[in-house]
Amino acid sequence: MINEIESLLDQYWVWLKDRTSIRQIDDWIEITTPYIDRHNDYMQIYAKKANGGFMLTDDRYTIEDLEQSGCKLESTKRQNLLKVTLQGFGVQLNEKALEVRVTAENFALRKHNLVQAMLAVNDLFYLSSPTIASLFYEDVVSWLDLCDIRYTPSVKFTGNSGYDHRFDFVIPKSRQQPERIVRTINRPSRDTAQAMAFSWIDTRAVRAPESRSYAMLNDSEHTASSDVIDALRSYEVNPVLWSQRDTVREELAA
């Protein structure tokens, strides 16, 4: 098993390096990552030297793109959600720019956190839909509470690679069930499934061997494709369609 996981991680590093490109723009270095946003455009960040280290920024792209797409973040609820999202990755908000200050030693980790924060904030676009009565995350919280499922919300683990991964809920070990780690995915797609799979592979190496991972997939508005479900299962992540959530009620509550 350990050799298989090491091979999967090696494949991920090769993919990440091969799909990343850089170019210089005046005093800045533009870094094009292999991650894509909802427009299917590759996400870009910018770096320059600052105070003996480096400044990394999205150059205001993420939030300005949300606003131009009709997703305003002016309400208190959305501002709080944005704040919590960025805090989870240690990213600062400077006016509308997402920023991190890094050193040569933590460059890779902090770059990873910035990109993950951009992806998370990018997903807030789906709050603009008038058909969404409440956030999917809040729906999951309400269901967990209704089912008397005990949990710790918003838990961050440092994976085997040294990268941080934030999960929405951790359900502690009981006499009947092992530790269960849960992430909600509001918009199931190839990219969100891949991000979840990598987070779990990296985290599983530092958790108890019997720990399990669950992905709660919002299929209220869009059907989760079989490719997404199969991809999660291949990495031993248990996909749970929101419409079929009661199928895991007992194993989460135990």
Side-chain angles (χ1 to χ4, degrees), residues 16 23 75 100-101 110 118 158 177 185 214 252:
L16 186 61
R23 68 170 179 148
S75 70
V100 292
R101 296 185 180 275
R110 301 290 281 153
M118 290 170 64
T158 300
Q177 295 287 344
I185 299 180
Y214 294 80
L252 295 182

Side-chain angles (χ1 to χ4, degrees), residues 4 10 17 25 28 40 44 46 58 73 91 109 112 136 152 166 174 187 203 216 234-235 245 251:
E4 180 182 0
D10 288 342
K17 183 177 180 180
I25 304 176
W28 292 87
N40 287 322
Q44 296 175 318
Y46 300 86
D58 75 336
L73 300 176
V91 172
L109 171 62
H112 168 81
F136 180 51
T152 300
R166 184 172 61 84
S174 68
R187 180 173 53 98
T203 301
M216 304 293 289
S234 68
Y235 289 101
R245 57 191 178 276
E251 62 189 90

Side-chain angles (χ1 to χ4, degrees), residues 36-70:
I36 60 176
D37 61 17
R38 67 181 183 280
H39 306 296
N40 287 322
D41 293 328
Y42 290 109
M43 303 183 76
Q44 296 175 318
I45 61 176
Y46 300 86
K48 76 172 182 179
K49 288 190 174 181
N51 301 322
F54 299 90
M55 161 76 75
L56 300 181
T57 178
D58 75 336
D59 195 30
R60 302 162 61 102
Y61 170 78
T62 307
I63 289 180
E64 288 188 345
D65 179 58
L66 285 176
E67 293 178 343
Q68 291 170 8
S69 299

Side-chain angles (χ1 to χ4, degrees), residues 3-224:
N3 290 334
E4 180 182 0
I5 298 303
E6 287 180 348
S7 176
L8 291 171
L9 286 173
D10 288 342
Q11 292 175 33
Y12 177 79
W13 303 135
V14 170
W15 171 82
L16 186 61
K17 183 177 180 180
D18 289 348
R19 298 294 184 88
T20 300
S21 63
I22 63 174
R23 68 170 179 148
Q24 186 152 0
I25 304 176
D26 298 326
D27 294 334
W28 292 87
I29 300 297
E30 179 186 79
I31 304 172
T32 300
T33 78
Y35 299 99
I36 60 176
D37 61 17
R38 67 181 183 280
H39 306 296
N40 287 322
D41 293 328
Y42 290 109
M43 303 183 76
Q44 296 175 318
I45 61 176
Y46 300 86
K48 76 172 182 179
K49 288 190 174 181
N51 301 322
F54 299 90
M55 161 76 75
L56 300 181
T57 178
D58 75 336
D59 195 30
R60 302 162 61 102
Y61 170 78
T62 307
I63 289 180
E64 288 188 345
D65 179 58
L66 285 176
E67 293 178 343
Q68 291 170 8
S69 299
C71 181
K72 304 297 183 181
L73 300 176
E74 298 170 349
S75 70
T76 300
K77 183 176 183 180
R78 294 186 180 188
Q79 281 291 316
N80 289 338
L81 178 60
L82 176 63
K83 181 179 179 180
V84 169
T85 299
L86 295 180
Q87 286 179 339
F89 294 101
V91 172
Q92 302 297 315
L93 181 64
N94 182 6
E95 294 184 352
K96 295 182 181 181
L98 308 187
E99 295 180 351
V100 292
R101 296 185 180 275
V102 307
T103 64
E105 290 74 20
N106 66 10
F107 183 93
L109 171 62
R110 301 290 281 153
K111 169 186 167 292
H112 168 81
N113 286 348
L114 176 59
V115 172
Q116 294 303 307
M118 290 170 64
L119 287 167
V121 174
N122 180 73
D123 200 44
L124 298 182
F125 169 75
Y126 294 90
L127 299 181
S128 65
S129 172
T131 61
I132 298 179
S134 63
L135 303 178
F136 180 51
Y137 174 85
E138 292 180 350
D139 290 340
V140 177
V141 168
S142 297
W143 180 73
L144 293 173
D145 291 341
L146 178 66
C147 298
D148 291 325
I149 298 172
R150 65 199 186 286
Y151 59 87
T152 300
S154 190
V155 177
K156 182 168 64 177
F157 295 120
T158 300
N160 192 51
S161 66
Y163 286 176
D164 291 336
H165 304 282
R166 184 172 61 84
F167 294 90
D168 294 311
F169 312 99
V170 173
I171 302 171
K173 177 182 178 181
S174 68
R175 291 182 180 179
Q176 294 81 24
Q177 295 287 344
E179 174 185 67
R180 287 138 291 174
I181 299 174
V182 183
R183 179 177 287 178
T184 60
I185 299 180
N186 183 49
R187 180 173 53 98
S189 67
R190 181 191 63 182
D191 292 313
T192 54
Q194 185 177 54
M196 175 60 183
F198 171 65
S199 294
W200 174 235
I201 289 171
D202 200 29
T203 301
R204 181 171 57 180
V206 298
R207 305 305 298 166
E210 65 274 13
S211 292
R212 296 178 189 165
S213 176
Y214 294 80
M216 304 293 289
L217 308 178
N218 187 2
D219 62 342
S220 299
E221 299 295 329
H222 302 284
T223 301

